[in-house]
Amino acid sequence: MKTPFIYGIAAEKMYFTDREKETKRLLLNFENGLNTIIVSPRRWGKTSLVNKVAELMKENQQIRIVRMDIFSVRTQEDFYRMFATEIIRQTATRTEEWLENTKRFLSSLVPVVTMSTDPMNPVSFSLKSVMPDYGEEVLTLPERIAKEKEIHLIICIDEFQQIGELSNSITFQKKLRSVWQHQHSVSYCLYGSKRHLLMNMFGKRSYPFYKFGDMLFLERIPLEYWYEYIQSRFEQNGKHIDTRFVDDIYTYVDGNSSYVQQLSWLVWARTENEVNEGIMAEAKQDLLLQSHSLFMEQINSLSSYQLRFIRAIMSGKTIEIYRKEIIEEFELGSSANIATIKKALQKKELIEIEGKNIYFSDPIFIHWLRQYNISLI
Ligand SMILES: Nc1ncnc2c1ncn2[C@@H]1O[C@H](COP(=O)(O)OP(=O)(O)OP(=O)(O)O)[C@@H](O)[C@H]1O
Ligand SMILES: [Mg+2]
């Protein structure tokens, strides 16, 4: 029997719901060669959306989609190697063709081919650099392949904010943009979950990637879609979940797609016939428990100021955080100090800042803080 809910991997096929507007828009951008930037908080469904559109375009012979995740990239060289490898690997299917294309298009790089025992991925292919200055050759690779094959290439790069973390990043970004913007047979879809880093890269006039493409801000999947999704899965197995409990799941996790699925699963697994208050409470408890050690670790890494700032957010005083009385009440030092605390917590990925609003990146963090009554000095 198939599991009714999934989380932790991209949602596809029967596990994919809604994203109708976003699918249409991304499809249109892909078909018309427009660059797209997708931004959303963690685990809302960026990867799933891009995969879905890629799947819909599978039959289109004129357009080829290349996907890569640069989360592990730490240097410019790592990026070039991954970029070149994935483009070569995903624009051809046979090993001989990979080798041939590498020789033809990347004369300064040496391909390394290894046979593995993994039946899903019998041949692994990667590139080893031999010359230090191969950037230009690698960056123009997609355009040259696309022209020769008479196709349009769409390069999708997940966790793109990683580029902003490399050394000499601005110079590197300038280089990428200057090459990419002249390519007519290639477009780019760049996405990631570190909103503040991506907004710096794409939303600031002084940065090289300013106005590089259509900005798509993913929103929560609306509750209406989850009624159908969750209730039908309970019914299929002779179980029942009342609408108010679906509301409860959605509200508790603040509409985060991944947590909606995870909490639904925890409720489903405990339900024999019908969901009740007791089951809901236990499932929520279980959800918090699963993050307990991670949250504990995060809390332990914070300074007293940072802990007190978290207390201020918990009390809902974020808009007035710079007011003298609030600074005194929570012992936050000074306004300058608050700016430092905010930056540090944002870097630790504990909080998100949107205008004057400050909220916890993880929607269940606040439940955990309350539940375990963590003392925040
Ligand atoms: N369209 C969808 N329908 C149903 N569930 C979804 C959908 N999109 C995402 N999810 C749920 O959210 C989880 C995370 O999805 P996905 O990996 O696509 O998000 P992401 O934004 O790319 O995450 P990350 O920030 O970690 O890169 C999935 O495992 C699934 O449980
Ligand atoms: Mg993702």
Side-chain angles (χ1 to χ4, degrees):
M1 193 175 75
K2 277 191 174 162
T3 171
F5 300 99
I6 55 135
Y7 52 93
I9 52 166
E12 58 168 18
K13 302 196 174 100
M14 61 172 276
Y15 297 108
F16 190 95
T17 181
D18 180 31
R19 298 292 181 220
E20 292 169 17
K21 278 197 316 257
E22 296 91 340
T23 303
K24 260 194 207 143
R25 180 158 153 197
L26 198 54
L27 202 58
L28 200 71
N29 287 0
F30 279 11
E31 283 168 352
N32 289 282
L34 287 182
N35 297 324
T36 311
I37 295 112
I38 311 174
V39 182
S40 87
R42 290 218 69 189
R43 309 269 151 77
W44 277 28
K46 295 170 293 296
T47 306
S48 306
L49 172 67
V50 173
N51 288 356
K52 158 104 178 182
V53 174
E55 180 68 24
L56 289 173
M57 297 193 72
K58 226 171 54 187
E59 305 301 319
N60 188 329
Q61 301 298 319
Q62 251 61 61
I63 298 177
R64 184 75 60 85
I65 296 178
V66 172
R67 276 167 286 176
M68 64 189 85
D69 181 336
I70 62 165
F71 185 71
S72 60
V73 162
R74 293 287 175 274
T75 62
Q76 294 181 16
E77 189 177 344
D78 285 348
F79 176 78
Y80 285 139
R81 199 180 306 120
M82 180 177 278
F83 190 79
T85 305
E86 292 310 318
I87 288 165
I88 293 278
R89 230 169 43 81
Q90 296 181 46
T91 51
T93 45
R94 290 174 306 111
T95 322
E96 303 87 73
E97 212 183 330
W98 289 337
L99 296 177
E100 200 182 291
N101 286 350
T102 306
K103 241 189 259 157
R104 282 237 322 277
F105 294 109
L106 294 169
S107 50
S108 52
L109 301 179
V110 175
V112 180
V113 178
T114 43
M115 304 298 286
S116 88
T117 47
D118 177 3
M120 298 298 286
N121 221 349
V123 181
S124 105
F125 167 86
S126 65
L127 293 167
K128 227 184 185 161
S129 61
V130 283
M131 279 168 59
D133 194 22
Y134 44 68
E136 192 78 16
E137 191 174 1
V138 169
L139 293 181
T140 56
L141 174 69
E143 177 84 349
R144 288 181 288 127
I145 292 188
K147 284 229 164 85
E148 169 149 324
K149 288 184 181 269
E150 295 182 347
I151 52 172
H152 188 91
L153 275 184
I154 296 162
I155 317 277
C156 303
I157 309 182
D158 205 345
E159 307 295 356
F160 191 74
Q161 72 276 342
Q162 213 56 34
I163 296 291
E165 305 278 278
L166 304 179
S167 58
N168 289 326
S169 172
I170 298 293
T171 316
F172 188 54
Q173 288 175 44
K174 268 190 198 145
K175 182 167 181 172
L176 297 184
R177 172 134 199 190
S178 69
V179 178
W180 289 356
Q181 73 186 3
H182 296 299
Q183 300 183 333
H184 299 292
S185 308
V186 186
S187 44
Y188 293 84
C189 176
L190 311 173
Y191 46 115
S193 43
K194 298 201 181 156
R195 192 190 142 88
H196 67 288
L197 295 178
L198 288 165
M199 288 312 289
N200 264 344
M201 290 172 82
F202 293 102
K204 287 199 173 158
R205 204 184 287 274
S206 55
Y207 281 69
F209 272 100
Y210 180 64
K211 295 212 162 154
F212 180 66
D214 180 33
M215 297 283 288
L216 175 55
F217 294 97
L218 221 55
E219 294 184 2
R220 289 174 181 83
I221 295 174
L223 181 56
E224 297 91 87
Y225 288 91
W226 290 116
Y227 287 137
E228 153 67 18
Y229 188 95
I230 297 171
Q231 287 179 312
S232 67
R233 274 148 222 258
F234 274 74
E235 301 302 331
Q236 275 160 22
N237 293 280
K239 306 183 188 197
H240 180 73
I241 181 167
D242 207 78
T243 312
R244 72 193 159 103
F245 291 118
V246 178
D247 293 346
D248 192 6
I249 291 175
Y250 190 80
T251 312
Y252 191 74
V253 302
D254 194 24
N256 173 296
S257 314
S258 184
Y259 277 136
V260 170
Q261 295 243 25
Q262 188 175 359
L263 187 52
S264 299
W265 161 252
L266 293 173
V267 172
W268 188 91
R270 282 177 170 72
T271 305
E272 224 160 276
N273 303 308
E274 181 152 3
V275 179
N276 58 38
E277 309 282 355
I279 292 176
M280 277 305 298
E282 268 182 39
K284 287 177 186 170
Q285 192 65 30
D286 194 350
L287 187 67
L288 297 186
L289 215 55
Q290 295 190 31
S291 294
H292 185 70
S293 41
L294 174 78
F295 288 157
M296 230 25 225
E297 208 176 289
Q298 281 175 319
I299 283 287
N300 285 336
S301 77
L302 302 182
S303 70
S304 313
Y305 275 128
Q306 292 167 350
L307 289 170
R308 292 200 290 262
F309 189 83
I310 285 189
R311 200 154 59 81
I313 303 179
M314 276 181 79
S315 69
K317 303 264 171 65
T318 55
I319 307 270
E320 342 140 73
I321 200 91
Y322 285 102
R323 269 184 39 210
K324 201 162 153 271
E325 304 90 270
I326 306 294
I327 294 181
E328 274 169 17
E329 182 186 342
F330 291 94
E331 300 172 65
L332 297 171
S334 61
S335 328
N337 198 31
I338 292 183
T340 314
I341 301 170
K342 270 169 43 178
K343 255 205 182 117
L345 291 176
Q346 200 178 28
K347 195 146 193 255
K348 284 174 186 277
E349 290 180 55
L350 266 172
I351 61 165
E352 292 282 333
I353 303 168
E354 246 184 67
K356 284 195 164 177
N357 240 323
I358 303 169
Y359 52 90
F360 294 120
S361 313
D362 191 318
I364 69 162
F365 185 58
I366 192 155
H367 299 304
W368 178 81
L369 285 168
R370 289 194 180 123
Q371 170 89 32
Y372 289 92
N373 211 359
I374 301 295
S375 94
L376 299 169
I377 308 176

